[in-house]
Amino acid sequence: YLVFFEMKNCCQKKSEKPEEKRIVKKESLISSIASATLQGCVGAVVGAALASVTDPIVNRVLVKRVPLSVAIHDVTGAQMFKYFQTALATNMIKFPMFEVLNKVVAQMPLPDSTRGLISGAIFTTATLPITNYRFSKSMGEPINMASLYKAYWPTVARDMLYGVVRNRTNTLVAQNFPKLNANPFGKMFAGVMAACLLSSPGNEVRGYFLQPPQKRLPVGEFFKVDRYVRSAALGATVMALSLGVGAFVSKPLEAKFRQLLVAAQQKKPQEQKH
């Protein structure tokens, strides 16, 4: 009987293990999603503050092909403040969405490149209207249904390449640079910077197709190396800094939120007693 009892207990423990693993995995995924959402929200605020200054200028250099000095003089403080409101609203959707999507897709047993392609394709298809709305606001252009999905194919190709490079960079950093991998800011900054720079030719193609057809410059006149380098470096720096700060700040914030949640849960029984 004792032998049978021990065997039964052993079998029950074995049968519980897969269920326990599923619960742990589910909790881990939920925690990762919560962390990614918070990280994206912090990055959205930092990104909006930086983009309110840089985007109106960079977009003028990118699309209108004017010198940087002319673009700077063309943008006023009132336009920057108004654009900050637009950028914050759109970032609060886009930044957390991509970070969460990346975390969810990362659970799939697929190569880095395939997961990056999936993330980029889904993200662009879902958020291009927001991206184009924000672009039109920064340029002071009219907004209509046709403008919301303008330059879809160059944008989806750019974002798919971004997803692939970011996943591959994260893997390379984890394998070869343990100190950098342990630094939330450094790891995020490196991955995003590499992804933005290597996918930046897609920005140029996107910028070309965002031009009004009747005012579109010839290909040879539109694509200039110096302007490309300037806009690519500035755009990549803004994105990498935004998400890097988000990664750095999100962990302490998450820990603080958990402490407040535990304190609130402990306070409830005391209030009920009174």
Side-chain angles (χ1 to χ4, degrees):
Y1 179 78
L2 287 172
V3 173
F4 173 75
F5 184 74
E6 290 298 323
M7 288 174 66
K8 184 180 176 182
N9 278 351
C10 184
C11 290
Q12 284 179 342
K13 287 177 183 177
K14 284 182 180 178
S15 64
E16 287 171 2
K17 281 183 180 178
E19 184 62 30
E20 288 172 3
K21 285 180 181 177
R22 280 196 293 272
I23 292 170
V24 170
K25 191 174 180 180
K26 185 178 179 181
E27 288 177 351
S28 177
L29 179 59
I30 292 170
S31 176
S32 295
I33 289 173
S35 179
T37 303
L38 182 59
Q39 182 176 293
C41 288
V42 174
V45 176
V46 176
L50 295 172
S52 64
V53 178
T54 60
D55 270 16
I57 296 169
V58 170
N59 286 338
R60 281 162 173 75
V61 173
L62 178 65
V63 177
K64 292 185 176 180
R65 283 338 213 195
V66 297
L68 183 61
S69 57
V70 174
I72 291 171
H73 286 296
D74 194 35
V75 180
T76 64
Q79 286 175 321
M80 288 180 181
F81 178 72
K82 190 174 181 181
Y83 184 67
F84 170 77
Q85 296 172 308
T86 303
L88 182 61
T90 56
N91 279 4
M92 278 296 186
I93 298 171
K94 291 180 64 178
F95 278 46
M97 181 179 175
F98 186 85
E99 296 309 309
V100 170
L101 180 61
N102 218 27
K103 287 288 184 185
V104 172
V105 175
Q107 304 298 315
M108 298 179 180
L110 297 169
D112 289 340
S113 55
T114 306
R115 284 191 269 112
L117 292 172
I118 293 170
S119 297
I122 294 173
F123 177 76
T124 304
T125 303
T127 64
L128 187 60
I130 298 170
T131 303
N132 283 350
Y133 173 83
R134 174 172 159 171
F135 170 80
S136 297
K137 279 285 188 180
S138 77
M139 296 293 288
E141 294 180 352
I143 299 167
N144 52 48
M145 288 303 295
S147 67
L148 294 181
Y149 266 98
K150 190 188 288 186
Y152 173 77
W153 291 112
T155 310
V156 77
R158 179 200 67 185
D159 289 350
M160 288 168 76
L161 181 57
Y162 172 92
V164 171
V165 174
R166 184 166 158 185
N167 284 344
R168 289 294 302 143
T169 303
N170 288 342
T171 300
L172 290 172
V173 167
Q175 290 173 347
N176 301 299
F177 304 98
K179 288 185 179 179
L180 182 61
N181 191 55
N183 183 329
F185 176 85
K187 179 183 177 181
M188 181 63 76
F189 187 91
V192 174
M193 179 64 82
C196 285
L197 290 176
L198 290 177
S199 64
S200 60
N203 280 334
E204 294 296 295
V205 180
R206 169 177 159 78
Y208 178 79
F209 284 102
L210 284 173
Q211 296 178 102
Q214 63 275 17
K215 297 180 181 178
R216 189 169 288 170
L217 295 173
V219 174
E221 191 177 335
F222 182 86
F223 294 104
K224 299 291 183 183
V225 174
D226 58 335
R227 291 172 183 170
Y228 159 67
V229 170
R230 193 163 49 220
S231 62
L234 191 55
T237 302
V238 168
M239 182 67 78
L241 277 175
S242 303
L243 289 173
V245 171
F248 179 75
V249 173
S250 63
K251 292 295 181 184
L253 280 178
E254 192 178 347
K256 189 65 178 176
F257 286 151
R258 284 179 179 173
Q259 288 176 0
L260 292 172
L261 186 61
V262 169
Q265 288 173 342
Q266 290 174 345
K267 194 176 179 181
K268 279 183 181 178
Q270 295 175 359
E271 291 176 349
Q272 289 173 353
K273 285 179 183 179
H274 293 297

